[in-house]
Amino acid sequence: MFNFAPNADGGASAGADESVVDRSYVKKKLEHGLTRIWQDVQLKVKAYILGTDMSNFKYDDFIVVLDVISRLMQVGEEFCGSRSEVLQESIKRQSVNYFRNYHRARLEELRMFLENETWELCPVKSNFSIAQLHEFKFMGQCRSPSLSPSRQAGTGAAGGDLSLFQQFLLEGNPFEMHIENKEEETEDVLASNGYESDELEKNVFQDYDSDSDVPEELKQDYVDEQTGEAPLKSVSRETMRSHKKSDYSLNKGAAPILTNTTLNVIRLLGKYMQMMNILKPIAFDVIHCVSQLFDYYLYAVYTFFGRNDMYESSGLGLISSRLRTTLNRIQENLIDMESSGESAGVHGQVEDRKEKVPTPHLSQLVVLTKGGTLYGLAQRVVATESLVFLAEQFDSLQAHLDSMMPAVKKPFLQQFYSQTVSTASELRKPIYWIVAAKAIDYEQMLLMMSGVKWDIREIMSQHNVYVDILLKEFEQFNAQLGDVSRQVRIPLAVSNVLWEHCIRLANRTLVEGYANVKKCSNEGRALMQLDFQQFLMKLERLTDLRPIPDKEFVETYIKAYYLTENDMEQFIKNHREYSMKQLANLVNVCLGSHINKKARQKLLSAIDDIDRPKR
């Protein structure tokens, strides 16, 4: 049919011309039909994507699928300028489905971690950074999250601005690049036995009140933690010895305080971000799930260590309205309260509970009731400070997460940071208050004060015994903090909160004791002042917390005894921090001294008339 024999003149050249025409025709057809060709490619790949159940893929395998499709979309962009909507939509559908299942399993896993967590330190190196973890390696390669991984890899010094087709013209293909990166992963974040050297270990167990010399670098660290700046002049040894009293953490090879569970949540955060980075369309879904990981951790720490029915009566404002709102929101949206859904319809209950996680329960291995361990203070410190550390890691990633969020969804992220992440450190107050409330026997002090005779007629030069007993309790508390610091570093912020709570509770107990007095003379009031001054003087040697919390609360109450009738009426209106009982006692004890019976009735009525805020 076709004769390619060279016997006819010009036959071969005619065949060559025809071949050139055919090639040119095909080339033109291809150039005009690039989009159609790419559409065919997309439809064929779509069949594979949607025809496979990926919900049970391992995370790494699913990331490989995302990465390959991401590179394929880049091929489409360079091949014909296509945005590959078909591929985008199909991989988004699979990703949302996969991620919903993956996140559900991770939340259940996190609950299991938290319920088995004994809140021991995870021994990481002092220079630990999340950038050292495998899960965050992608951030080093991707300065701009808008680029796909293959494009980021190709814009280095070697790749320049070459297109994919130019880069792989002679050999290789862009779909094997992820395998090369896998080989390079190394991770070395754990410290040996929790210490990086024998010298540091010695420092940890060195008695903080001993006379041994304190290394210069530790002095530097102490000052840095208080002021954030290098000291302008050298710190005297005497000053350092006084600082030891409320720091308890001079062993500042300061490795971060975190647990295995914290590390697990941080790794999950890296994995979630990696998925966001490769597939922008599900960025909001992923961020929402990231926020749930933090919510659940925060809620667990509060439930295990901070929930207590005595808050309301303490009058110390332990839980801010913002923290209370956050805890209520988490409980309502994320926690499956097993009994709460009973009154709801069956269908609504199942649908609602499917997205929730049961309340976690503290491991039975964690004992919080023994006075010898300061009511599990070491575990409380590890739990609370690991949460604070986790919040700091979230803070450091805020800009990166924000850059991945669609503009309309950015307010969700901002709200998550301002209302939840920023409340982590606020949990210190309720959690450490439980320790402070039990560490000192305030009831014993009240009992001893009730036995003191206050209607004396001569000025006393010796303070009462209850002051010495109280100070001994504070000395014992100080020593116990030192013992706990040998197990876990107690940051300055933590020891300050503990001391503040103890002192506030002691001062409020003093006022309550003075308010129980039935009869009191001027000399008796002078004795109260002498007792309180003795307490302050000795207390200031134990702690360098300044000013002493609630000092004015006690002094003002003692001095109010000397007020005239008019001044007392104004005092009652201005000082709502005192209870009605405490104010009424001031009025009643003043009766016969310098306030008459009629004036007393008037002042008691004024106390009853005041609409007091709930304490």
Side-chain angles (χ1 to χ4, degrees):
M1 188 171 170
F2 296 98
N3 182 10
F4 290 101
N7 55 4
D9 291 339
S13 62
D17 289 344
E18 194 174 314
S19 173
V20 169
V21 170
D22 285 347
R23 186 185 291 269
S24 175
Y25 173 77
V26 169
K27 187 181 176 187
K28 277 192 165 43
K29 273 288 186 186
L30 284 173
E31 284 173 350
H32 285 97
L34 290 182
T35 304
R36 275 203 310 277
I37 292 170
W38 186 247
Q39 195 68 9
D40 284 347
V41 171
Q42 286 189 80
L43 291 171
K44 284 182 169 57
V45 175
K46 175 187 175 182
Y48 280 108
I49 294 173
L50 297 183
T52 308
D53 180 9
M54 299 187 196
S55 60
N56 293 315
F57 273 32
K58 289 182 178 176
Y59 173 82
D60 288 337
D61 294 339
F62 188 72
I63 283 292
V64 169
V65 173
L66 286 187
D67 198 26
V68 167
I69 300 302
S70 173
R71 294 171 198 276
L72 191 61
M73 287 193 281
Q74 192 184 342
V75 169
E77 188 181 337
E78 295 190 8
F79 181 65
C80 63
S82 169
R83 294 182 60 81
S84 302
E85 282 87 354
V86 173
L87 286 179
Q88 279 195 45
E89 186 52 39
S90 54
I91 199 65
K92 181 182 177 183
R93 275 169 59 188
Q94 280 285 33
S95 295
V96 169
N97 183 42
Y98 172 82
F99 195 72
R100 192 173 288 131
N101 283 290
Y102 180 79
H103 177 62
R104 176 76 213 172
R106 297 295 73 75
L107 272 178
E108 284 294 341
E109 189 180 84
L110 177 56
R111 178 168 73 95
M112 184 188 72
F113 264 94
L114 288 165
E115 293 191 337
N116 288 284
E117 180 63 71
T118 54
W119 305 100
E120 301 288 335
L121 276 176
C122 177
V124 294
K125 294 189 173 181
S126 57
N127 65 348
F128 171 77
S129 158
I130 59 173
Q132 297 162 357
L133 299 174
H134 293 322
E135 290 79 5
F136 290 89
K137 294 291 183 189
F138 77 96
M139 288 184 69
Q141 300 156 4
C142 95
R143 291 288 169 248
S144 166
S146 61
L147 294 177
S148 67
S150 53
R151 180 168 294 188
Q152 289 150 14
T155 53
D161 292 325
L162 296 177
S163 71
L164 271 180
F165 290 99
Q166 290 169 322
Q167 287 178 56
F168 299 98
L169 183 63
L170 298 177
E171 59 177 348
N173 79 71
F175 301 105
E176 292 176 352
M177 289 171 62
H178 61 274
I179 297 168
E180 298 164 18
N181 293 336
K182 202 89 174 166
E183 304 288 321
E184 300 168 9
E185 292 187 353
T186 55
E187 185 179 281
D188 180 22
V189 296
L190 296 181
S192 170
N193 297 323
Y195 302 101
E196 294 176 78
S197 71
D198 292 339
E199 191 56 40
L200 181 55
E201 188 165 3
K202 263 194 306 194
N203 285 338
V204 172
F205 290 96
Q206 180 181 317
D207 188 344
Y208 64 91
D209 267 336
S210 74
D211 287 331
S212 57
D213 289 335
V214 180
E216 282 300 321
E217 65 271 18
L218 299 188
K219 296 177 186 177
Q220 173 79 42
D221 282 346
Y222 179 83
V223 176
D224 283 351
E225 185 159 337
Q226 272 210 314
T227 66
E229 299 173 358
L232 297 176
K233 56 184 180 182
S234 63
V235 183
S236 72
R237 178 169 163 170
E238 200 56 44
T239 307
M240 278 309 301
R241 286 170 71 181
S242 70
H243 280 167
K244 291 176 186 178
K245 290 157 194 158
S246 59
D247 185 6
Y248 309 100
S249 55
L250 294 176
N251 49 308
K252 294 216 182 55
I257 295 175
L258 69 158
T259 67
N260 287 322
T261 305
T262 326
L263 207 52
N264 181 55
V265 173
I266 291 170
R267 289 186 187 280
L268 277 180
L269 173 60
K271 287 181 176 181
Y272 282 28
M273 287 176 64
Q274 200 173 346
M275 198 175 287
M276 264 190 287
N277 199 59
I278 294 174
L279 198 71
K280 283 295 198 59
I282 66 162
F284 173 70
D285 303 81
V286 179
I287 287 273
H288 179 67
C289 293
V290 162
S291 72
Q292 288 187 335
L293 293 175
F294 187 86
D295 283 352
Y296 197 66
Y297 196 102
L298 182 143
Y299 186 82
V301 170
Y302 168 72
T303 304
F304 294 167
F305 301 101
R307 185 174 273 164
N308 192 284
D309 297 332
M310 294 164 63
Y311 288 151
E312 301 303 326
S313 60
S314 72
L316 291 173
L318 295 165
I319 296 186
S320 67
S321 58
R322 183 175 66 152
L323 178 56
R324 194 180 299 279
T325 301
T326 295
L327 291 167
N328 289 340
R329 175 190 58 76
I330 295 171
Q331 184 167 299
E332 187 179 333
N333 296 339
L334 185 61
I335 307 302
D336 181 6
M337 308 296 285
E338 284 146 352
S339 58
S340 62
E342 287 174 6
S343 59
V346 176
H347 176 72
Q349 183 183 342
V350 171
E351 283 302 305
D352 185 45
R353 291 180 63 181
K354 199 162 62 174
E355 301 299 321
K356 296 185 175 183
V357 196
T359 303
H361 299 287
L362 181 65
S363 166
Q364 292 182 342
L365 297 174
V366 181
V367 180
L368 303 176
T369 53
K370 290 185 178 175
T373 63
L374 271 182
Y375 306 94
L377 179 60
Q379 288 83 2
R380 291 177 193 275
V381 168
V382 171
T384 312
E385 301 315 303
S386 68
L387 174 66
V388 171
F389 177 78
L390 186 60
E392 288 167 356
Q393 307 319 300
F394 269 80
D395 276 331
S396 70
L397 295 167
Q398 183 175 3
H400 192 89
L401 292 172
D402 189 68
S403 68
M404 294 197 236
M405 285 288 276
V408 292
K409 298 293 187 181
K410 285 182 189 283
F412 170 84
L413 187 67
Q414 289 158 3
Q415 189 174 24
F416 168 61
Y417 271 92
S418 64
Q419 294 184 8
T420 306
V421 176
S422 63
T423 62
S425 60
E426 292 181 22
L427 274 185
R428 283 174 174 153
K429 274 194 170 183
I431 288 173
Y432 297 134
W433 181 84
I434 294 171
V435 174
K438 295 178 178 179
I440 309 287
D441 192 345
Y442 306 100
E443 289 300 319
Q444 178 199 25
M445 189 169 79
L446 265 183
L447 198 61
M448 291 190 71
M449 290 177 76
S450 67
V452 175
K453 183 176 170 63
W454 298 104
D455 56 342
I456 52 177
R457 292 300 168 200
E458 58 183 85
I459 298 290
M460 306 295 288
S461 59
Q462 182 61 38
H463 61 272
N464 281 298
V465 177
Y466 74 86
V467 176
D468 296 324
I469 301 294
L470 177 59
L471 286 165
K472 271 184 185 163
E473 296 234 354
F474 271 100
E475 285 169 7
Q476 186 181 350
F477 172 68
N478 190 36
Q480 285 181 297
L481 281 181
D483 292 340
V484 172
S485 74
R486 292 180 177 86
Q487 297 174 55
V488 57
R489 177 171 62 88
I490 300 182
L492 188 63
V494 175
S495 65
N496 280 351
V497 168
L498 282 163
W499 275 100
E500 182 181 342
H501 282 333
C502 282
I503 295 169
R504 279 190 192 283
L505 286 166
N507 282 341
R508 284 164 184 267
T509 306
L510 284 172
V511 168
E512 189 62 21
Y514 297 149
N516 288 336
V517 174
K518 301 301 179 198
K519 292 180 180 179
C520 185
S521 61
N522 286 346
E523 291 81 3
R525 286 287 153 172
L527 180 56
M528 288 179 185
Q529 287 178 308
L530 175 66
D531 287 351
F532 187 57
Q533 289 309 312
Q534 178 70 14
F535 172 62
L536 286 180
M537 183 177 71
K538 293 282 179 70
L539 185 66
E540 286 176 349
R541 295 178 190 173
L542 289 174
T543 176
D544 54 353
L545 185 64
R546 300 291 185 275
I548 295 293
D550 277 354
K551 177 183 169 185
E552 292 78 12
F553 183 75
V554 183
E555 290 177 337
T556 304
Y557 188 80
I558 295 172
K559 290 172 184 173
Y561 174 81
Y562 302 107
L563 295 176
T564 63
E565 178 188 337
N566 290 338
D567 289 339
M568 181 70 84
E569 190 171 359
Q570 196 60 43
F571 181 91
I572 289 167
K573 290 177 183 174
N574 293 342
H575 290 273
R576 299 191 176 198
E577 67 270 26
Y578 299 108
S579 68
M580 295 178 75
K581 173 203 160 187
Q582 289 165 352
L583 290 172
N585 178 267
L586 270 180
V587 173
N588 286 324
V589 173
C590 289
L591 174 65
S593 170
H594 55 277
I595 294 181
N596 61 39
K597 208 167 196 176
K598 185 179 177 184
R600 182 187 71 161
Q601 284 306 121
K602 181 183 173 187
L603 290 170
L604 291 175
S605 297
I607 293 170
D608 290 336
D609 290 345
I610 292 174
D611 180 22
R612 298 187 173 281
K614 190 175 180 184
R615 301 178 72 241

